[in-house]
Amino acid sequence: MSLLAIGTVAFDAIESPFGKTDKIIGGACTFISLSASYFTKPVQIVAVVGDDFPQDYIQLLEDHGVDTEGLQIKQGEKSFFWSGKYHNDMNTRDTLITELNVLADFDPVIPASYQGCEYLMLGNLSPQVQMTVLERLEKRPKLVVMDTMNFWMEVAREDLKKAIAKVDVLSINDEEARILSGDYSLRKAAKAIMAMGPKTLIIKKGEHGALLFQGDDVFFAPALPLEEVFDPTGAGDTFAGGFIGYLAATDDISFENMKRALIYGSAMASFCVEKFGTERLLNLTKEEVDARIQEFVKLSGFTVEA
Amino acid sequence: MSLLAIGTVAFDAIESPFGKTDKIIGGACTFISLSASYFTKPVQIVAVVGDDFPQDYIQLLEDHGVDTEGLQIKQGEKSFFWSGKYHNDMNTRDTLITELNVLADFDPVIPASYQGCEYLMLGNLSPQVQMTVLERLEKRPKLVVMDTMNFWMEVAREDLKKAIAKVDVLSINDEEARILSGDYSLRKAAKAIMAMGPKTLIIKKGEHGALLFQGDDVFFAPALPLEEVFDPTGAGDTFAGGFIGYLAATDDISFENMKRALIYGSAMASFCVEKFGTERLLNLTKEEVDARIQEFVKLSGFTVEA
């Protein structure tokens, strides 16, 4: 089924204990759409870049089945740029540079050909922009998944709460769940957040996996223990892209299928962190993805007497 | 099959955001034996207390199927005492008091009736005492599981390495695995530690679950997300007790059965943290344990196309 993703398409510059990159392609929407493209094509995107954004990068997205009709190119403006440095534990990072540029006054435009999309992934952007996109869709999608971050909890809490109330699935990390709910216990935090509107909540725990809550049900997808985590940038977005991409491809939003989608998202994220930026997401094969899924089956499968 | 556990039998005094206890029964061997007693009885113990240790506490162990013949009572001496205070996140704690007392010169004596034990749980004690117990068993048990802690990595690293080399399963937490191996990646750390001797390694991650490594195989048991963690004291020992108790009860040390044992250990630990000290471990029913196991099945069960 048709999938629309919004979020940043941007430049990242990354430093980690393993090296340093120049400005490379990054942004939530980039990781989401590349990851989702392994399950369903085309992936429609609504995003904005400046005229400094290389045509090669746009072509790279197109080559992976991303429909860039909704990618605005602002003449005379610069693309969003983020630079960060990871510490030795790869779990904490310092933001070195954030240049909003074109994002400062992003007015999302939905191409007519995108109307009627069934699955909507609201990648991390201001809650106001996220809501504008939802409002500008003439028909409410079958499933709306929203990702956000602590920054918006600090600077736009009321807008954020209004947005959260309107989505089906919210995806945040454990620290954000604690901030948003005021509860340290993730089980309690999940209840409090689902009471804000979303029927389903994903709490991402990075290298510790991810939890899926819906009503009284809870499911846990482990993260694959890797020999080396090279660069965690985009892992959460890649996870979200795999999650909604799998749901759109199977067109089944039952809790049972969401469990599988969580595993597929985790598998895609496990690839993402193996190389810098989007590199590992550019040339995966179906065999590699299937083999990785089987690693998750082995990792968490057990039987007990009923 | 027969199970022998060693470790501390002691007094704990605990402060947490939820309250404060007087001196209550605690110690690695206490938690291990109570937890294991839900799977196999009797649980033989080798430990030492002073004459300040209440007969009621010894009776409490006996009432749960713990064979206390190997519990030495040192006249005129005091029991080991630990006091700690948990921070608001319940993941970090300050040790307020550590009084070694009878532990300072503990010489473990194995009752003749314990000889021939098939399963041995070396709970956290000095590596030298752990090795003495192994040496004093006339027949090597079928499975030797050892738990230790960062303290011994600092003060007795060489003794610890000698001990590690002699056990079948080592159980440590993620921080300890990183210290012991010098590797941040748990996958790499596991390889390095298994190269030190133990064929099987358990890496405990507290509220983030536990990993089981053997050769190239890896299995992950999630921790159950709980509404409230009341007191984490003893959770690791309770986990170990459930793990080896289940293995001893089923007398099957295959990797497949160890996976199940890891789930049983995690289930027991999830009970432990729901109340102060040993309280929750004193009156569990088989139905409660079985229901908790089914919660783990629901928590991590998923199906994908083969």
Side-chain angles (χ1 to χ4, degrees):
Chain A
M1 302 299 272
S2 54
L3 168 61
L4 167 57
I6 73 159
T8 50
V9 172
F11 289 121
D12 284 346
I14 302 149
E15 283 183 48
S16 90
F18 298 99
K20 200 174 159 171
T21 71
D22 290 329
K23 278 187 176 185
I24 56 175
I25 185 171
C29 191
T30 302
F31 285 100
I32 290 167
S33 59
L34 286 173
S35 178
S37 75
Y38 285 92
F39 303 99
T40 185
K41 287 177 185 178
V43 180
Q44 303 164 335
I45 62 171
V46 166
V48 63
V49 293
D51 63 6
D52 58 345
F53 202 73
Q55 183 58 39
D56 285 359
Y57 281 169
I58 297 173
Q59 191 59 48
L60 181 151
L61 292 173
E62 287 277 352
D63 290 346
H64 284 82
V66 179
D67 176 346
T68 62
E69 188 186 349
L71 178 67
Q72 301 173 39
I73 302 173
K74 292 277 183 182
Q75 296 305 317
E77 292 190 46
K78 289 171 75 181
S79 303
F80 176 64
F81 173 49
W82 176 82
S83 176
K85 182 178 178 171
Y86 290 91
H87 298 181
N88 280 327
D89 66 6
M90 300 301 278
N91 271 328
T92 50
R93 70 184 184 190
D94 294 325
T95 290
L96 304 176
I97 302 169
T98 306
E99 291 176 8
L100 277 183
N101 299 327
V102 289
L103 273 194
D105 57 354
F106 177 35
D107 184 33
V109 178
I110 319 280
S113 68
Y114 288 10
Q115 292 295 345
C117 82
E118 298 276 4
Y119 288 81
L120 174 62
M121 179 69 227
L122 299 170
N124 179 41
L125 277 175
S126 84
Q128 217 171 8
V129 170
Q130 291 176 315
M131 278 311 90
T132 301
V133 169
L134 191 54
E135 284 157 13
R136 290 180 180 173
L137 289 173
E138 291 157 11
K139 186 174 81 74
R140 184 182 168 90
K142 185 169 175 177
L143 189 78
V144 180
V145 181
M146 172 181 166
D147 190 71
T148 187
M149 68 182 290
N150 49 1
F151 177 74
W152 306 112
M153 296 174 192
E154 287 155 23
V155 305
R157 199 176 175 92
E158 287 316 304
D159 278 349
L160 180 66
K161 284 195 152 184
K162 280 182 206 160
I164 287 174
K166 290 185 179 152
V167 304
D168 302 306
V169 182
L170 178 68
S171 164
I172 50 178
N173 72 27
D174 44 359
E175 183 200 342
E176 290 155 357
R178 284 167 175 148
I179 293 171
L180 187 60
S181 66
D183 277 310
Y184 187 81
S185 154
L186 295 181
R187 194 113 190 190
K188 282 191 175 175
K191 272 194 186 169
I193 294 166
M194 287 189 288
M196 296 175 189
K199 206 181 146 197
T200 308
L201 174 69
I202 295 170
I203 299 182
K204 300 173 285 184
K205 308 204 301 170
E207 64 160 326
H208 301 303
L211 287 158
L212 175 71
F213 293 92
Q214 187 180 94
D216 289 330
D217 285 328
V218 53
F219 174 69
F220 178 79
L224 197 66
L226 297 168
E227 290 263 334
E228 209 73 89
V229 169
F230 218 75
D231 171 19
T233 309
D237 301 311
T238 302
F239 169 84
F243 177 77
I244 199 163
Y246 181 80
L247 291 179
T250 52
D251 194 26
D252 171 0
I253 58 172
S254 67
F255 190 70
E256 279 306 307
N257 203 47
M258 281 195 185
K259 289 183 188 180
R260 275 187 285 273
L262 207 73
I263 297 289
Y264 275 87
S266 302
M268 295 309 292
S270 76
F271 285 120
C272 175
V273 303
E274 288 180 339
K275 301 258 182 186
F276 272 118
T278 59
E279 196 180 338
R280 191 74 177 93
L281 298 180
L282 298 181
N283 296 296
L284 286 171
T285 63
K286 187 180 179 311
E287 287 66 34
E288 284 176 303
V289 175
D290 289 346
R292 189 59 59 100
I293 293 295
Q294 289 305 316
E295 286 193 65
F296 278 82
V297 171
K298 275 186 74 176
L299 180 64
S300 57
F302 67 94
T303 52
V304 291
E305 294 161 37
Chain B
M1 302 297 271
S2 53
L3 168 60
L4 167 58
I6 73 158
T8 50
V9 172
F11 290 121
D12 283 348
I14 302 149
E15 283 183 48
S16 92
F18 298 100
K20 201 176 161 170
T21 70
D22 289 329
K23 278 187 176 184
I24 55 174
I25 185 171
C29 192
T30 301
F31 286 100
I32 291 167
S33 59
L34 286 174
S35 178
S37 75
Y38 285 91
F39 304 98
T40 186
K41 288 178 184 177
V43 181
Q44 302 164 335
I45 63 170
V46 166
V48 62
V49 292
D51 62 9
D52 58 345
F53 202 73
Q55 183 57 38
D56 284 359
Y57 281 168
I58 297 172
Q59 190 59 47
L60 181 152
L61 293 172
E62 287 277 352
D63 290 346
H64 284 80
V66 179
D67 176 345
T68 61
E69 187 186 348
L71 178 67
Q72 301 174 38
I73 302 172
K74 293 276 184 183
Q75 296 305 317
E77 292 190 46
K78 289 171 74 182
S79 303
F80 176 63
F81 172 51
W82 176 82
S83 174
K85 182 177 177 171
Y86 289 91
H87 298 182
N88 280 327
D89 67 4
M90 300 302 277
N91 270 326
T92 49
R93 70 183 186 192
D94 295 325
T95 289
L96 304 176
I97 302 168
T98 308
E99 290 176 9
L100 278 183
N101 299 327
V102 287
L103 273 194
D105 58 355
F106 177 34
D107 183 35
V109 178
I110 319 280
S113 68
Y114 288 10
Q115 291 294 347
C117 82
E118 297 277 1
Y119 288 81
L120 173 63
M121 178 70 227
L122 299 170
N124 179 42
L125 276 176
S126 85
Q128 217 172 6
V129 170
Q130 291 177 314
M131 278 311 91
T132 302
V133 169
L134 191 54
E135 284 157 13
R136 289 180 181 173
L137 289 172
E138 290 156 14
K139 185 173 83 68
R140 184 182 167 89
K142 185 168 176 179
L143 190 78
V144 180
V145 181
M146 172 179 164
D147 189 71
T148 186
M149 68 183 291
N150 49 1
F151 177 74
W152 306 113
M153 297 174 191
E154 287 155 23
V155 305
R157 200 176 175 91
E158 288 315 304
D159 278 349
L160 180 65
K161 285 195 150 183
K162 278 183 209 161
I164 287 174
K166 291 187 179 150
V167 304
D168 301 305
V169 182
L170 179 67
S171 165
I172 51 180
N173 72 27
D174 44 0
E175 184 201 343
E176 290 156 357
R178 285 168 174 145
I179 292 172
L180 187 61
S181 66
D183 278 310
Y184 186 82
S185 155
L186 294 181
R187 194 115 190 188
K188 282 192 176 174
K191 271 194 188 170
I193 294 167
M194 287 189 287
M196 295 175 190
K199 206 180 146 200
T200 308
L201 174 68
I202 295 169
I203 299 183
K204 299 172 286 183
K205 308 203 302 172
E207 64 160 326
H208 300 302
L211 287 158
L212 175 72
F213 293 92
Q214 188 180 94
D216 290 329
D217 286 327
V218 53
F219 173 71
F220 177 79
L224 197 66
L226 296 168
E227 291 262 336
E228 210 74 88
V229 169
F230 219 75
D231 171 19
T233 310
D237 300 311
T238 302
F239 169 85
F243 177 77
I244 199 162
Y246 182 80
L247 291 179
T250 52
D251 194 27
D252 170 0
I253 59 172
S254 68
F255 189 70
E256 279 306 308
N257 202 47
M258 281 194 187
K259 288 183 187 180
R260 274 187 285 273
L262 208 72
I263 297 289
Y264 275 88
S266 301
M268 295 308 292
S270 76
F271 285 120
C272 175
V273 302
E274 289 181 338
K275 301 257 181 182
F276 273 117
T278 58
E279 194 181 339
R280 191 73 177 93
L281 298 180
L282 298 182
N283 295 297
L284 287 170
T285 62
K286 186 178 181 312
E287 288 67 32
E288 284 177 303
V289 175
D290 288 346
R292 188 59 59 99
I293 293 295
Q294 289 306 317
E295 286 194 64
F296 278 81
V297 171
K298 275 187 73 174
L299 180 65
S300 57
F302 67 93
T303 52
V304 291
E305 293 160 37

